[in-house]
Structures are given as structure tokens and as C-alpha cells.
Amino acid sequence: MNNCVFCAIVDGDAPSVPVYDDDDVVAFLDIRPITRGHLLVIPKRHSQDLETLDPHLGGALFAAGQRLSRAIRRSDLRSDGANLVLNDGKAAFQTVFHTHLHVVPRWTGDTLRFVTGFVTRRLKNPEATASAIRTGLTRLDEEEST
Ligand code: AMP
Ligand code: ZN
């Protein structure tokens, strides 16, 4: 028991809307999304930041973030790009101290503000969003197997 909310999500002891899971990482919807489909990818094994993250897991984190970004492009969310962001340490605005990679889908011409509305942002239709992203992953799998 380490009082870490993301470890609790990995253990199934805290709620989340999951979209991806493998041996090393899980990905789920951010509870205060900057854009629709904003995900967090986290290592299953707890680390606090980049100092304490096993580089192998860092590779797995980025590989999953890359895959999910490509899946969201193919999903019905039809993103045009993404920001992959990792806030390392308080100085970089890290607030949850279980290392995590943000995947923030982007659309051409969107008017994204990373800071504005931080407190008021809420998930809208989380299950539909997660389901669309999972379908994007299936489309990517199918594309790669043909
Ligand atoms: P950071 O500033 O990089 O530490 O960002 C932490 C992120 O975690 C924020 O975008 C929060 O909205 C998100 N977050 C915090 N708690 C949860 C939770 N229980 N489930 C999903 N996302 C969360
Ligand atoms: Zn943790």
C-alpha cells in the first residue's frame, strides 16, 4: 500500500476508463481531459518520475504512446496529430508522482489551451471515447496484418 492513485488503478482498486493494457503498461482516459481522448500511459510498476523510471519501461511507455496516437488517428475521433508530454518533477508541473505519459490528441485548427479551464474540465461520454480508441487499435492491428 503506497497511497498512489495510479497504482490503485493498476490494481483495480480505483476506477478508470481503460483503453490499453500490456505486460508493462496500462493506458486510461485522463479524468480532466485537455482534448477528447486525452490518455495517460503509465508503467504498471511504480516509479515516481524520470529519475526512478526503468529505461526499459520508458521505452515501453513511449511505444504504447506512439501506438495509441496512431490508433486515435484511425479511430472515429479522427485526430490529425498529438502532443506526447511527460511532466518530470514539480518544476515541470508534475502533480501525480507515478510516472506517466500524456497522449493529447490534436486536430488541425483546434484552439487548445493547456492551462485554461484546468479546474472545470470534465470527461464527456468517456465510454464512447474509450470505445472509439479501442476500435482505432483494432483498425491499426488489421492494417498491420494485411
Ligand atoms: P501531471 O501534471 O503530469 O502530473 O498530470 C496528472 C494528470 O493526472 C492530470 O491531467 C489529471 O487530470 C490526471 N489524473 C489525476 N487523477 C486521475 C485519476 N484518478 N484518473 C485519471 N486521471 C487522473
Ligand atoms: Zn504508483
Side-chain angles (χ1 to χ4, degrees):
M1 184 69 204
N2 64 0
N3 255 344
C4 169
V5 64
F6 287 178
C7 282
I9 286 175
V10 171
D11 293 341
D13 294 332
S16 73
V17 185
V19 295
Y20 178 78
D21 186 332
D22 66 25
D23 287 346
D24 294 323
V25 307
V26 295
F28 50 88
L29 296 186
D30 192 298
I31 206 167
R32 292 183 190 277
I34 293 171
T35 62
R36 185 170 181 215
H38 178 177
L39 302 175
L40 299 175
V41 189
I42 70 170
K44 287 182 172 172
R45 187 172 357 124
H46 181 85
S47 61
Q48 199 173 311
D49 49 23
L50 286 184
E51 286 297 323
T52 51
L53 175 69
D54 175 340
H56 165 78
L57 291 179
L61 209 61
F62 189 82
Q66 178 184 14
R67 188 154 194 82
L68 285 160
S69 304
R70 296 181 66 217
I72 297 168
R73 280 179 182 256
R74 286 158 177 78
S75 77
D76 289 352
L77 271 59
R78 299 184 161 279
S79 59
D80 300 311
N83 293 106
L84 269 58
V85 178
L86 193 154
N87 297 332
D88 175 42
K90 267 190 189 153
F93 304 135
Q94 185 174 1
T95 59
V96 176
F97 288 87
H98 179 128
T99 322
H100 53 277
L101 180 67
H102 294 259
V103 176
V104 183
R106 299 297 306 274
W107 288 264
T108 304
D110 66 22
T111 52
L112 170 66
R113 301 277 180 277
F114 271 90
V115 176
T116 317
F118 179 74
V119 177
T120 52
R121 286 197 296 261
R122 293 288 180 273
L123 278 167
K124 294 183 196 96
N125 301 322
E127 284 304 336
T129 301
S131 164
I133 297 170
R134 288 184 214 112
T135 302
L137 281 167
T138 305
R139 287 178 191 162
L140 185 55
D141 285 340
E142 286 168 357
E143 189 181 308
E144 288 177 346
S145 68
T146 53

